[in-house]
Amino acid sequence: MILKGFNELKQFLERPKNIVIVGHRNPDGDAMGSTLALKFYLEKKGHKAQVVVPNQYPEFLHWLPGSETTYRFDWQNTQVQKAIKKSDIIFLLDFNALHRVGQDMQNTLEDYKNDFAMIDHHQEPDEVTYMYSDTSISSTCQMVYHFIEMNNDLDLIDKNIATCLYTGIMTDTGSFRFRSTTSTTHRIIADLIDKGAENDRIHGNVYDSNSYNRLLLLGQALSNLHMLPQFKTAYITLTNEEMKKFDFQKGDTEGVVNYALSLKGIIFAAIFIEDAEQDIIKISFRSKGTFSVNTFARNYFDGGGHTNAAGGKSLLTMQETINKFTSLLPEHQQELIKSYEE
Ligand code: 5GP
Ligand code: MN
């Protein structure tokens, strides 16, 4: 755990400030939940706070309280530049390095003259002035809860804050089943329910809001599932053509990689998705046990993340990417076999 400049930050926030809160590109439940929860909290403390995300976030998060007030860097650039210009500090939530916001927004952030404060749970964070980094914690939302706790402000958590925090903890822990889920996580969840988070509605809003096409796309993904039992590995591919066929919308492929990981005996899973917009193959990696997909993604696919969940990209074609991936497996065979005792 790294806690840097916390007392100075506390002092700095003793007077009302203009604050911008930034989440990562392709925001997920944890990015949206943590930025919005922090915004509500800082507003309660007398500050002005504006959430900015680089681009679109999935439809299944649009119901989150406060989400209608967020700015998108790619759509509302003028408003974002204005908000950043008049801000006294920028909070960076749920990401560890400025490049995670995408090139255009990264340039804007690199020109920023005031300080950054980072709250994040990814490995190897960039150096910024104020930092709360802990890779052992389930989610940035859980860290925002601890941040509020460190400020002795748990009584300020209202229904909106509780709802946002519950959402991010739920999505980042795969509904409280990943190893990062601790008894502390459950105690926090219990407290958030006491403070107004309607757990059944939140689960319903996020997980039971599929479009017909999304389920058909899942069917397509599952029919593209490949298994390499000798490496305890399985992977899924989705081409641009397949995604177009089922009217792909942002967020439609979220969680699909977990189906590959759910196969009995499989401890390493990947999904390769053609991203026509960026002309890359976007990859998600998942593992069980000690095999670090963070290291794997960093070493071979220009990415990173956590030990058991990471992402990366490839500039090769789909077939070349798959060839590269499968040709890397033999040298990791022992690690893969030893990673996880069933
Ligand atoms: P997902 O597979 O759900 O997109 O991401 C899993 C985890 O890996 C997340 O914590 C995410 O922040 C991280 N991640 C995903 N893609 C990248 C990437 O391209 N670079 C880095 N450094 N991390 C990534
Ligand atoms: Mn997260």
Side-chain angles (χ1 to χ4, degrees):
M1 198 257 265
I2 306 168
L3 192 60
K4 191 176 120 188
F6 179 76
N7 289 330
E8 291 81 352
L9 179 61
K10 207 170 165 182
Q11 239 168 24
F12 179 78
L13 293 176
E14 264 164 19
R15 286 165 185 278
K17 295 286 190 286
N18 275 309
I19 299 172
V20 165
I21 307 168
V22 175
H24 56 78
R25 193 180 146 79
N26 298 331
D28 58 6
D30 194 28
M32 292 309 297
S34 61
T35 52
L36 289 168
L38 185 67
K39 164 197 147 74
F40 285 128
Y41 167 65
L42 291 172
E43 285 174 348
K44 281 197 151 178
K45 297 284 282 181
H47 305 290
K48 290 211 165 68
Q50 175 65 50
V51 173
V52 175
V53 291
N55 64 340
Q56 198 183 358
Y57 54 94
E59 189 71 32
F60 62 76
L61 296 173
H62 282 210
W63 62 275
L64 275 172
S67 73
E68 69 288 349
T69 67
T70 59
Y71 287 156
R72 273 177 55 178
F73 185 85
D74 60 350
W75 262 16
Q76 289 138 303
N77 199 274
T78 321
Q79 290 97 314
V80 173
Q81 298 292 355
K82 227 165 138 180
I84 288 181
K85 205 164 184 181
K86 72 168 191 208
S87 70
D88 303 302
I89 187 168
I90 295 182
F91 275 80
L92 310 172
L93 261 60
D94 199 35
F95 64 101
N96 56 349
L98 287 187
H99 69 84
R100 297 280 292 125
V101 296
Q103 189 65 61
D104 291 348
M105 191 164 171
Q106 180 183 351
N107 293 341
T108 299
L109 292 183
E110 275 171 354
D111 289 340
Y112 189 59
K113 297 287 180 284
N114 295 326
D115 288 319
F116 291 114
M118 181 187 283
I119 303 178
D120 180 53
H121 65 139
H122 294 89
Q123 295 177 3
E124 299 182 41
D126 275 357
E127 192 65 30
V128 295
T129 311
Y130 306 111
M131 207 147 109
Y132 172 30
S133 160
D134 193 336
T135 58
S136 73
I137 294 187
S138 70
S139 53
T140 302
C141 277
Q142 183 174 333
M143 295 182 71
V144 169
Y145 182 96
H146 291 309
F147 179 74
I148 295 173
E149 192 175 29
M150 286 187 265
N151 283 292
N152 294 317
D153 281 332
L154 285 183
D155 54 337
L156 291 185
I157 296 184
D158 58 12
K159 182 174 176 149
N160 280 343
I161 298 176
T163 301
C164 292
L165 293 180
Y166 186 104
T167 302
I169 298 175
M170 175 186 83
T171 55
D172 257 31
T173 57
S175 300
F176 322 114
R177 67 201 166 95
F178 298 155
R179 189 188 284 219
S180 57
T181 312
T182 61
S183 56
T184 303
T185 312
H186 281 288
R187 273 185 213 104
I188 290 171
I189 283 297
D191 190 36
L192 295 176
I193 293 173
D194 286 343
K195 290 183 157 76
E198 293 179 69
N199 48 322
D200 55 334
R201 286 178 65 108
I202 296 173
H203 284 259
N205 286 345
V206 172
Y207 296 117
D208 302 335
S209 60
N210 286 321
S211 67
Y212 184 60
N213 270 322
R214 186 181 184 192
L215 283 195
L216 294 188
L217 183 65
L218 173 62
Q220 177 70 62
L222 293 180
S223 67
N224 298 348
L225 173 64
H226 294 264
M227 204 163 138
L228 301 161
Q230 70 275 36
F231 302 116
K232 297 193 168 219
T233 297
Y235 69 88
I236 292 171
T237 57
L238 273 176
T239 63
N240 189 43
E241 204 174 312
E242 289 164 336
M243 313 229 302
K244 276 218 297 244
K245 185 169 158 200
F246 298 112
D247 188 30
F248 170 78
Q249 302 292 316
K250 200 103 204 160
D252 278 358
T253 55
E254 205 130 312
V256 175
V257 65
N258 294 318
Y259 286 93
L261 197 64
S262 75
L263 281 163
K264 192 170 169 62
I266 294 303
I267 67 95
F268 183 27
I271 185 166
F272 300 88
I273 301 172
E274 269 180 9
D275 181 338
E277 203 181 298
Q278 294 188 81
D279 202 20
I280 59 167
I281 310 264
K282 185 76 192 96
I283 315 168
S284 287
F285 296 109
R286 300 290 185 270
S287 69
K288 281 185 182 167
T290 53
F291 183 72
S292 170
V293 287
N294 171 51
T295 309
F296 191 87
R298 257 172 218 280
N299 285 349
Y300 307 119
F301 291 100
D302 189 22
H306 315 277
T307 305
N308 297 129
K313 54 181 170 291
S314 162
L315 304 178
L316 307 170
T317 66
M318 181 65 91
Q319 193 52 55
E320 288 165 349
T321 305
I322 299 301
N323 291 347
K324 174 177 170 182
F325 175 69
T326 51
S327 73
L328 288 164
L329 296 175
E331 61 191 277
H332 294 285
Q333 190 166 23
Q334 287 314 312
E335 285 167 74
L336 288 163
I337 287 168
K338 284 197 213 126
S339 178
Y340 184 80
E341 300 288 333
E342 311 249 343

